[in-house]
Amino acid sequence: MSTAIEFDRVSKVFGSGTSRVEALREVSLSVQAGQIHAVVGCSGAGKSTLLRTVNGLERPTSGRVVVAGRDTTALSGKELYAARQQTGMIFQQFNLLSARTVYGNIAYPLRLAGLSKDAVLDRVEELLAFVGLTDKALSYPSQLSGGQKQRVGIARALATEPQIILSDEATSALDPATTAEVAGLLQRTNEEYGVTVLLVTHEIDVVRDIAHRVTVMDAGGVVEDGTTYDVFSRPQHAVTRRFVSSVLRSVPDEGALATIRRVHRGRLVQLHVEDRETDQPFLSEVARRTGVDFDVVYGGVEELQDRLFGSLTLELLGEPAAVEAAVAQLRVSTTVVDLDAAAPPAPSRALRLAEEVAVGA
Ligand code: ADP
């Protein structure tokens, strides 16, 4: 796989003195050609600034941004203009020309590029069909819904057949159903035109649904970078965990954990579930070998990019030594978070049942 965009120790400082902001701090990152690469992070993390260095809307204070093998930071105004033709951009607020029709908006970059009238007509018709707006060609932006406006934005960005699309919070002004629709269109853009998509978003659902790879930014720096599967299934940084937990419901939050503890007094452990290349049923095997009973008290398994992952919270019941042995054996097969390392010894199931009967009597 070749590299479409290479950020090499990119820093950006805005202002000076008391208003000095370090928007980017030595960001190094590779975006592979043909991928959908998401950059996520909280507001102010530096995502937009990073994106805007790709087409020269922001110049780095130091470092290099290499796009398709060319160092954009070294390009002059004219060269930069030519390089921008290879990069389409879509925006949160659509940035359409209100005085032009849908047709006129999509045709605009083609006219600027000097295409003949017939060539413009052919290309715009093709793009209108691609984004499903053939019947809106003569409408004005004010007559369109948000989702339709962003479809025009995507068609316009694709007009000059760029190799890269930059998407700056393109779905953030849309309702959830329209967000999914526009994200789906970005995915088709990537698949059918082979375009590399670098998308900045704070919406983790979009990342989950369409991104191959994700970079997590915090305070101007990269805190995590990996395939979407790896980052979602094993988030390392606190910021990543916060983002991921909002779409993955298999890990109990504090409130859920308190509820679980009210009901379950055994030892609580959380198991990481991953694609397993084996059909060995390891949970029941550990239970059999150690004589420990277990209940699944929380969790779930999800599918992401054709692979499975998730988390199960178990209550282990048995003699303390046996529970200890069970935890050790579980650790051999998967990652285990001991939620109860310092908990009192768990009563065995038989003892607990006897207790419950006694209380009930
Ligand atoms: P994000 O896209 O993650 O929300 P931005 O890249 O927009 O973050 O901003 C990163 C930081 O840089 C913020 O503190 C923001 O206020 C600051 N910033 C961005 N653009 C400018 C600018 N043109 N002038 C001054 N500060 C800016």
Side-chain angles (χ1 to χ4, degrees):
M1 217 181 272
S2 64
T3 304
I5 307 166
E6 182 84 37
F7 297 97
D8 178 18
R9 285 166 297 152
V10 175
S11 294
K12 176 71 182 180
V13 177
F14 289 109
S16 59
T18 50
S19 62
R20 186 176 190 276
V21 178
E22 264 187 274
L24 298 174
R25 300 165 198 253
E26 302 240 324
V27 173
S28 290
L29 187 67
S30 293
V31 177
Q32 300 303 314
Q35 291 222 311
I36 300 182
H37 190 124
V39 179
V40 300
C42 304
S43 181
K47 307 180 296 292
S48 284
T49 306
L50 184 74
L51 190 81
R52 292 158 64 86
T53 62
V54 176
N55 59 1
L57 289 178
E58 295 291 355
R59 289 264 184 179
T61 308
S62 63
R64 296 184 321 143
V65 183
V66 181
V67 181
R70 295 180 77 184
D71 180 359
T72 58
T73 45
L75 298 180
S76 67
K78 213 172 169 190
E79 291 167 325
L80 196 59
Y81 179 78
R84 270 189 201 152
Q85 300 281 90
Q86 296 304 308
T87 313
M89 189 158 182
I90 49 177
F91 305 85
Q92 180 173 359
Q93 296 307 332
F94 321 118
N95 292 16
L96 302 179
L97 300 165
S98 57
R100 288 179 198 245
T101 61
V102 167
Y103 184 95
N105 269 277
I106 304 171
Y108 188 70
L110 296 169
R111 295 220 171 96
L112 281 184
L115 261 71
S116 72
K117 241 184 170 160
D118 283 351
V120 171
L121 185 66
D122 286 350
R123 181 75 182 143
V124 176
E125 273 183 355
E126 180 199 332
L127 289 164
L128 281 171
F130 178 71
V131 301
L133 287 179
T134 302
D135 59 337
K136 298 282 180 198
L138 299 179
S139 300
Y140 285 87
S142 61
Q143 298 169 305
L144 303 178
S145 68
Q148 288 169 335
K149 283 181 198 163
Q150 199 56 291
R151 283 167 180 271
V152 179
I154 292 173
R156 180 187 54 186
L158 282 171
T160 53
E161 301 185 37
Q163 285 141 21
I164 296 170
I165 294 274
L166 305 174
S167 168
D168 194 355
E169 299 281 8
T171 55
S172 301
L174 307 173
D175 61 66
T178 315
T179 292
E181 203 181 282
V182 169
L185 184 57
L186 276 176
Q187 191 170 36
R188 273 183 55 217
T189 300
N190 166 258
E191 288 169 359
E192 293 179 29
Y193 288 95
V195 178
T196 307
V197 179
L198 179 58
L199 76 90
V200 154
T201 183
H202 65 271
E203 294 175 305
I204 200 76
D205 300 83
V206 173
V207 178
R208 188 206 144 106
D209 290 346
I210 68 168
H212 300 107
R213 207 174 168 90
V214 55
T215 298
V216 184
M217 288 187 70
D218 187 41
V222 170
V223 295
E224 206 156 335
D225 174 58
T227 65
T228 304
Y229 181 84
D230 285 347
V231 171
F232 274 66
S233 62
R234 289 184 180 274
Q236 305 294 318
H237 193 275
V239 172
T240 317
R241 279 199 213 106
R242 209 167 61 231
F243 267 102
V244 167
S245 68
S246 64
V247 282
L248 305 179
R249 312 243 171 258
S250 59
V251 179
D253 59 16
E254 269 176 36
L257 208 51
T259 305
I260 294 168
R261 282 189 199 284
R262 266 205 307 281
V263 186
H264 300 279
R265 292 186 293 147
R267 172 87 158 259
L268 296 180
V269 293
Q270 207 173 289
L271 305 188
H272 184 77
V273 181
E274 245 180 39
D275 268 1
R276 289 167 59 79
E277 294 292 318
T278 159
D279 52 6
Q280 292 281 317
F282 79 105
L283 278 185
S284 52
E285 203 177 302
V286 168
R288 215 170 21 246
R289 266 197 256 129
T290 56
V292 163
D293 288 313
F294 69 86
D295 262 344
V296 176
V297 297
Y298 203 91
V301 179
E302 316 212 12
E303 190 253 5
L304 183 67
Q305 297 179 342
D306 304 326
R307 295 173 69 188
L308 301 174
F309 78 99
S311 162
L312 294 178
T313 302
L314 305 184
E315 177 189 34
L316 303 178
L317 297 159
E319 294 305 320
V323 168
E324 223 40 76
V327 173
Q329 288 188 25
L330 290 171
R331 284 196 203 281
V332 174
S333 299
T334 187
T335 306
V336 177
V337 179
D338 195 342
L339 296 173
D340 257 347
S348 72
R349 173 168 299 212
L351 194 62
R352 203 175 64 156
L353 285 176
E355 248 182 349
E356 278 165 13
V357 170
V359 170

